[in-house]
Amino acid sequence: MSGPSSYEPKTAFERWLDVRLPIIRMANDTALDFPTPKNLNYWWTFGGILAVCLVIQIASGVVLAMHYVPNAGLAFDSVEHIMRDVKHGWMIRFIHANGASMFFLAVYIHMARGLYYGSYKAPREVLWILGCVIYLLMMATAFMGYVLPWGQMSYYGAVVITNLFSAFDGVIPGLGTYITTLLWGGFSVDNPTLNRFFSLHYLLPFMIAGVVGLHIWALHVPGNNNPTGVDVKSKSDTVPFHPYYTVKDGFAIVLFFIPFAWFVFFAPEALGHADNYVKANPLATPAHIVPEWYFLPFYAILRSIPDKLMGVLAMFGAIAMLFAVPWLDRSPVRSMRYRPTARWFFAIFIVATIILGWCGGQLPDDVILPIGKSETGAPTGFTVVWLSRILAAYYFAYFGILWFLKNEKTLPVPETISAPVLAEKV
Amino acid sequence: MLRKALSAAAVLACLTFGGAASAAEHGHTLRPVTFSFDGPFGKFDRGSLQRGYKVYAEVCSSCHGMNLLSYRNLAQKGGPFFDEKYKNPNDNPYAKAIAAAIEVPDIDPDTGDAITRPATPADRFKDPYPNEPAARAGNGGALPPDLSVIAKAREGGAHYIYSLLTGYHEAPAGLTVAPGQYYDEYYKSDLSSAWKGPKDKVPPGGVLAMSFQLTPDRVAFDDGTPSSTDQEAKDVAAFLAWAAEPHAEERKETGLAVMIYLLIFAGITYLSYRRIWKNVAH
Ligand code: HEM
């Protein structure tokens, strides 16, 4: 859809600039006149929402960094200084902390949208993979950001996650130790760790912004997918991005701000953990170390496997599956609207991932279905770790199922994007 | 059908995460109490904050510091002693008087000798102990935590603190409590090794190194409020909630304006959306 440009410079200055740096032309062709399928539903508004989230994180983060002190002895108090003494510091910090959660909420919806409507299928594989790269960078950024306030959860989260890499000693002896020493900048999580995490936490969002640029570039070559999954056939299938989608995305962004603001102003700690208001203390391990909610499904997969190396590989494998899905799903039909079997497996996949997230927040040995009692009187039975195992198995199986659903009996796919609209009207 | 399944999934998601948040605290349910600042529109009760500060100053401050607070904070907007007349809290006569009555360590600028001098509103709350070993030595080896953010650092916040301070009683028969340790129904510690009874009936609660503090009439309130254990605990819990986030009230007020603005803005953008898309079949 990167067809001929529709831009016509109107003023003398625009004509002058256009032959030197056609930046207004680029803006016009990507954000104003870009032909966009006219049937995009609200699930498509999350791309714009994500762009806004990134801007919010960078803007609030830059201001936080003006007051924050990346030093193990001072970090906790400097965050409290932001909360107490910096003008509107409490608001900036709560926007940043809850903004990370809202960012992940949006990215999960955005990814689920892509999985359901087959947006990863040809010719959008590169676009999809760039999205997965953004997601990985977001996870790294958020993990390192959570370490910065240097509370108990910050510290022990860093200890648990960095220690995972030591499992690679089982692949090449010394490799895991090398990685952990590099991450720590020493022999344990300490001041050097905090310093490098701060530096990287500042850097990675700008790398995300760069990959977002590529992601949008890769979007604008084939153009948007749409709920029918059918390619755009004629101009009557599309509307110009502006004003049609600027207003629709704009409306969705304002709606998204409502729960966002609710968290920031009325429940700013609801997604956090009380222990992170206790200063990091290497000598007092908290009873229950839990990561932020957006990591919980992967944390559950990690803990469902007793062998550390296998657990780590399974956790990374769960994300690797996303990179591979364009080639695992061989169905010629894009949208699951017309794939009655696949969409049931998809729905179960979403539910399974959500319940995995719940499992990640429980203790592995907590009993869900009590069957008997042990000699101490504690209930025994079906535990969280077993539920996690079943759900993790389904998580991986889903991608295999897609491979085998190649010849699934599909529903009739409309000829054009406009066809189902017209059919409904008759 | 699928639409229904997906909305069911969304509801399930909310329930599981809501459940996960509340299931995180496996302990005993807290004693019921309502605070004026509960909920999205709740505000602090100035009288209660003033009484709460008095409880802190006369009881808790002999063991617990509040290092993130300065005396001026007591008189800032939203604080217990705020007065419209003194926009700069350092000029507030209450803050000045409270500070002046406390001797803080300093260095004599002329001789370099360690001295003490009356505090000013700009000084941090005075620490009860010069260092951690001294604090532990004074409390049977346990460290009294700094109380500046304690209301955020415990699940349940002010509700937990209130329960903790009023939850002391005779240890259940069968529980061995070491000297210098006290049983509290709401504290969380592992009691299984000190418990002689059946293994599946370990009592709730825990033992800690802080004894029962808030005996009736321990503090004489200036406004004549009778100082029962309950009142003292409630007021000091409120004071600690304020201290943990002095801007909480401002946050909620701003939030209300933001929500109204967003709702109106959403309505306007929705109408523009409808208008622009009016003639497109989609
Ligand atoms: C992808 C975008 C970003 C994400 C997802 C993110 C996430 C986070 C998270 C989860 C925290 C911990 C918040 C808390 O519990 O207190 C944090 C803290 C912090 N972030 Fe970011 N961040 C992002 C971008 C940035 C940028 C661009 C900067 C600086 C230019 C920045 C600076 C900071 C600082 C100084 C802190 C420590 C203060 C605090 O903990 O409140 N962040 N970030």
Side-chain angles (χ1 to χ4, degrees):
Chain A
M1 235 166 290
S2 43
S5 173
S6 65
Y7 174 64
E8 277 171 35
K10 293 204 183 59
T11 62
F13 171 72
E14 283 180 72
R15 276 190 296 275
W16 180 86
L17 188 65
D18 196 48
V19 289
R20 290 167 175 82
L21 178 71
I23 191 167
I24 306 181
R25 178 179 299 276
M26 191 177 101
N28 174 76
D29 295 349
T30 55
L32 298 177
D33 211 31
F34 185 69
T36 312
K38 62 186 185 180
N39 61 335
L40 300 186
N41 56 30
Y42 279 103
W43 299 114
W44 260 263
T45 59
F46 283 89
I49 289 172
L50 284 163
V52 171
C53 286
L54 181 60
V55 172
I56 291 177
Q57 289 307 102
I58 291 181
S60 57
V62 167
V63 179
L64 286 176
M66 294 172 188
H67 305 278
Y68 172 78
V69 184
N71 172 290
L74 305 170
F76 185 93
D77 286 357
S78 78
V79 172
E80 277 302 318
H81 161 71
I82 293 172
M83 292 292 293
R84 289 158 193 271
D85 297 328
V86 173
K87 183 106 178 142
H88 293 123
W90 57 269
M91 196 195 299
I92 297 162
R93 172 168 184 241
F94 282 152
I95 287 175
H96 196 78
N98 288 285
S101 281
M102 296 307 288
F103 202 165
F104 275 93
L105 177 70
V107 87
Y108 283 132
I109 296 176
H110 191 66
M111 290 161 74
R113 186 282 318 261
L115 284 174
Y116 183 74
Y117 292 108
S119 302
Y120 47 81
K121 285 171 179 274
R124 296 187 183 82
E125 300 94 322
V126 171
L127 169 60
W128 173 262
I129 287 177
L130 288 167
C132 293
V133 170
I134 294 171
Y135 174 54
L136 275 183
L137 289 171
M138 274 174 68
M139 293 208 284
T141 308
F143 162 63
M144 290 190 272
Y146 193 62
V147 176
L148 301 185
W150 211 242
Q152 280 286 71
M153 275 302 155
S154 298
Y155 180 86
Y156 285 93
V159 169
V160 170
I161 302 298
T162 52
N163 264 312
L164 292 180
F165 290 93
S166 65
F168 289 112
D169 277 340
V171 186
I172 302 175
L175 175 66
T177 312
Y178 177 78
I179 299 175
T180 48
T181 312
L182 191 68
L183 288 172
W184 292 337
F187 301 104
S188 64
V189 174
D190 206 337
N191 196 51
T193 326
L194 178 60
N195 279 296
R196 59 193 57 198
F197 278 20
F198 178 54
S199 171
L200 293 174
H201 184 70
Y202 208 133
L203 171 69
L204 290 190
F206 294 93
M207 295 183 53
I208 295 178
V211 185
V212 167
L214 296 178
H215 189 69
I216 294 175
W217 186 8
L219 166 70
H220 282 201
V221 178
N224 289 87
N225 184 26
N226 67 81
T228 64
V230 176
D231 284 330
V232 167
K233 301 266 160 60
S234 70
K235 208 159 165 45
S236 69
D237 287 344
T238 67
V239 291
F241 190 82
H242 181 72
Y244 292 96
Y245 284 106
T246 38
V247 74
K248 187 167 182 173
D249 284 356
F251 171 53
I253 289 165
V254 178
L255 278 190
F256 183 78
F257 281 163
I258 293 174
F260 191 158
W262 180 271
F263 277 117
V264 169
F265 294 103
F266 299 120
E269 317 284 3
L271 300 167
H273 198 289
D275 272 350
N276 225 26
Y277 279 97
V278 181
K279 251 185 228 186
N281 177 358
L283 300 177
T285 315
H288 193 180
I289 303 172
V290 273
E292 294 280 84
W293 69 266
Y294 34 83
F295 294 133
L296 291 176
F298 300 106
Y299 193 54
I301 292 177
L302 169 80
R303 290 191 311 185
S304 70
I305 298 177
D307 181 74
K308 187 172 173 188
L309 178 62
M310 294 316 277
V312 171
L313 291 179
M315 186 174 73
F316 287 121
I319 297 164
M321 284 293 149
L322 295 171
F323 280 85
V325 71
W327 294 278
L328 292 176
D329 180 358
R330 301 183 297 167
S331 169
V333 174
R334 275 201 198 105
S335 171
M336 290 206 189
R337 258 195 196 173
Y338 310 108
R339 301 182 61 188
T341 318
R343 70 180 174 191
W344 274 106
F345 287 109
F346 171 81
I348 300 170
F349 173 75
I350 298 293
V351 174
T353 309
I354 291 168
I355 303 177
L356 262 178
W358 176 81
C359 291
Q362 308 306 112
L363 293 171
D365 293 331
D366 279 356
V367 175
I368 307 171
L369 287 178
I371 297 169
K373 282 198 171 207
S374 72
E375 54 198 286
T376 62
T380 57
F382 186 65
T383 53
V384 165
V385 71
W386 277 103
L387 180 62
S388 312
R389 283 177 187 155
I390 295 170
L391 295 169
Y394 181 79
Y395 180 100
F396 286 100
Y398 174 70
F399 296 93
I401 291 168
L402 285 182
W403 172 271
F404 289 107
L405 283 182
K406 183 178 179 211
N407 296 320
E408 161 192 10
K409 215 165 122 35
T410 54
L411 303 174
V413 177
E415 271 305 305
T416 66
I417 290 175
S418 307
V421 179
L422 297 177
E424 273 166 38
K425 292 272 141 57
V426 181
Chain B
M1 183 66 180
L2 189 74
R3 211 165 254 261
K4 278 207 197 104
L6 286 179
S7 11
V11 173
L12 194 73
C14 299
L15 290 179
T16 44
F17 284 108
S22 61
E25 12 158 0
H26 283 288
H28 198 46
T29 44
L30 299 177
R31 278 191 65 196
V33 58
T34 46
F35 286 106
S36 62
F37 53 86
D38 284 338
F41 306 112
K43 286 182 181 306
F44 291 113
D45 165 357
R46 292 301 128 208
S48 172
L49 293 186
Q50 294 178 3
R51 293 191 298 272
Y53 173 69
K54 192 160 193 199
V55 176
Y56 168 74
E58 292 185 5
V59 183
C60 325
S61 72
S62 57
C63 299
H64 295 278
M66 289 186 81
N67 208 266
L68 295 171
L69 279 96
S70 301
Y71 297 106
R72 70 175 161 84
N73 292 130
L74 296 170
Q76 76 186 26
K77 196 161 189 286
F81 298 102
F82 175 65
D83 184 338
E84 280 294 341
K85 276 201 297 242
Y86 305 96
K87 295 279 189 250
N88 178 350
N90 292 295
D91 300 334
N92 180 297
Y94 283 101
K96 281 161 112 171
I98 287 169
I102 293 163
E103 287 280 314
V104 289
D106 204 348
I107 300 293
D108 186 313
D110 298 323
T111 65
D113 292 339
I115 52 160
T116 63
R117 59 161 173 85
T120 68
D123 279 306
R124 297 279 176 130
F125 278 24
K126 188 189 170 183
D127 271 328
Y129 299 100
N131 49 50
E132 186 182 323
R136 286 190 188 274
N139 289 280
L143 180 69
D146 185 278
L147 295 184
S148 314
V149 276
I150 198 82
K152 287 196 176 196
R154 295 291 181 275
E155 208 73 61
H159 293 254
Y160 166 72
I161 294 168
Y162 167 79
S163 292
L164 175 79
L165 295 174
T166 58
Y168 287 89
H169 50 74
E170 201 65 45
L175 188 72
T176 325
V177 177
Q181 296 278 310
Y182 307 88
Y183 174 77
D184 186 294
E185 196 184 336
Y186 300 97
Y187 187 71
K188 278 171 218 152
S189 70
D190 184 9
L191 295 178
S192 51
S193 57
W195 173 245
K196 296 281 172 298
K199 287 286 173 231
D200 59 339
K201 298 236 162 42
V202 182
V207 292
L208 76 166
M210 171 169 76
S211 61
F212 176 51
Q213 297 296 324
L214 298 177
T215 44
D217 297 324
R218 176 90 194 255
V219 179
F221 290 132
D222 304 326
D223 60 3
T225 306
S227 34
S228 59
T229 294
D230 211 67
Q231 189 67 43
E232 292 168 336
K234 205 177 155 185
D235 289 337
V236 77
F239 171 72
L240 292 175
W242 168 80
E245 195 188 338
H247 294 296
E249 214 168 71
E250 182 191 349
R251 160 164 71 70
K252 293 178 189 178
E253 280 165 11
T254 315
L256 188 61
V258 169
M259 289 317 260
I260 294 172
Y261 171 82
L262 284 176
L263 288 171
I264 295 174
F265 194 23
I268 294 172
T269 32
Y270 182 68
L271 294 177
S272 327
Y273 161 67
R274 288 302 296 261
R275 174 121 190 254
I276 288 172
W277 280 80
K278 199 168 58 196
N279 297 321
V280 183
H282 65 286

